[in-house]
Amino acid sequence: MIKTISDEYVYKKEVDWSLLMEGLTLPVDNQVVFGQIMGRFIQRGESKDITLYLEGKAYHAKIVNVNFDPKFKRKKDTYQIRYSKNGELARALQAYFFKSFQFIKTTRENRDPSDRSMIKLPDEYKEYLAIYTTEYDDSYILEPILVDDMQVLREVVKGQKERELEAGLESDIQDETAGYDQMNQLIKIRKLNKKIGDNLKRLYQYRCQICGRLIGEEYGSHVVEAHHIEYFVKSLNNDASNQIIVCPNHHSIIHDVDPVFDRKRLLYIYPNGFEEKFVLNMHL
Ligand SMILES: [Zn+2]
Ligand SMILES: [Zn+2]
């Protein structure tokens, strides 16, 4: 049983068929968080038993270090969360994400059976599962982010200025104009957004990814901000892959002149032609 919940880390996964049926693969940069058992890493072919909590109910699952054929010379380990196929947790997730489930199920039934490509949800139907760590390395908390949550968010952010919105997402100030249900949905999404940003700040040890500076060090402080590459007001995308960690100066400049982000070369191109390459990157 969980005593106190310390949601130190969160992984946000877009809902797909696998998640609704039997499990999900964890990205490489999350493996330090999920891949440990009793202070060491789970070895290839090994697994650990875990408990997933969804709305107060406990479900049994496993984290597996997938053991591939050695002849493929796989360099990185691959971790998966697995639960029993179409079992209790899968059916609970299908009920929460019933819109995604119906959409993918119908698409699967109506397509050529030889087509095994992954079915992506259309943007307006996208739903997510947030997986929070706890102080126990065998217990995790699941939180569904539903179409309805995203809809509320879409209405609330409409017409807002990106920089103010980002500042609002980082703070715990509550929107007094929102109703009770709306409020709960916003708190849920704000918490998720803040946690993803906080995880990234920790990853970069509070340094700006563009200039590498640690602002406030001499004062025993650190001032750093999370910026959404594709503006959150438009994209509603707070995945780690859409966030960068920047110092307040760079953040202000970005919002002032709106440079173009070149993801491949990992640099910003400013309207005056100046190109500035990131000095730090571990997650893009
Ligand atoms: Zn900077
Ligand atoms: Zn920003």
Side-chain angles (χ1 to χ4, degrees), residues 162 166 226-228 251 255:
E162 177 73 8
E166 284 183 322
H227 170 67
H228 297 79
H251 202 183
H255 283 282

Side-chain angles (χ1 to χ4, degrees), residues 12 128 145-160 165 169 175 181-183 185-190 192-193 228 232-238:
K12 178 188 169 198
Y128 306 91
I145 309 290
L146 307 174
V147 165
D148 294 349
D149 297 323
M150 297 306 285
Q151 190 50 42
V152 168
L153 183 65
R154 203 167 281 127
E155 280 159 26
V156 169
V157 304
K158 210 187 294 169
Q160 283 199 44
L165 176 67
L169 286 169
D175 182 357
D181 282 349
Q182 271 196 340
M183 187 82 91
Q185 283 160 318
L186 290 176
I187 289 168
K188 187 156 99 172
I189 289 165
R190 189 170 285 169
L192 173 66
N193 187 80
H228 297 79
F232 188 70
V233 276
K234 291 191 203 114
S235 66
L236 299 185
N237 180 359
N238 60 8

Side-chain angles (χ1 to χ4, degrees), residues 64-127:
V64 182
N65 185 343
V66 182
N67 201 4
F68 281 100
D69 192 326
K71 76 180 176 208
F72 292 121
K73 290 206 177 67
R74 194 167 43 91
K75 286 198 191 78
K76 300 265 190 196
D77 290 15
T78 302
Y79 293 94
Q80 291 178 340
I81 293 179
R82 287 190 196 157
Y83 26 89
S84 55
K85 190 162 187 171
N86 216 8
E88 212 189 347
L89 177 58
R91 289 198 307 272
L93 291 169
Q94 290 163 17
Y96 275 104
F97 297 115
F98 66 95
K99 285 181 183 162
S100 298
F101 182 58
Q102 284 310 322
F103 179 88
I104 304 174
K105 193 164 171 268
T106 312
T107 311
R108 283 170 66 91
E109 283 163 2
N110 292 323
R111 71 177 178 176
D112 188 327
S114 67
D115 184 355
R116 301 205 149 254
S117 62
M118 187 155 113
I119 298 163
K120 289 278 255 176
L121 292 165
D123 279 349
E124 64 272 30
Y125 287 123
K126 279 197 197 309
E127 299 186 295

Side-chain angles (χ1 to χ4, degrees), residues 208-213 246-247 249-250:
C208 173
Q209 283 188 254
I210 303 176
C211 62
R213 289 184 62 195
V246 288
C247 67
N249 282 355
H250 269 114

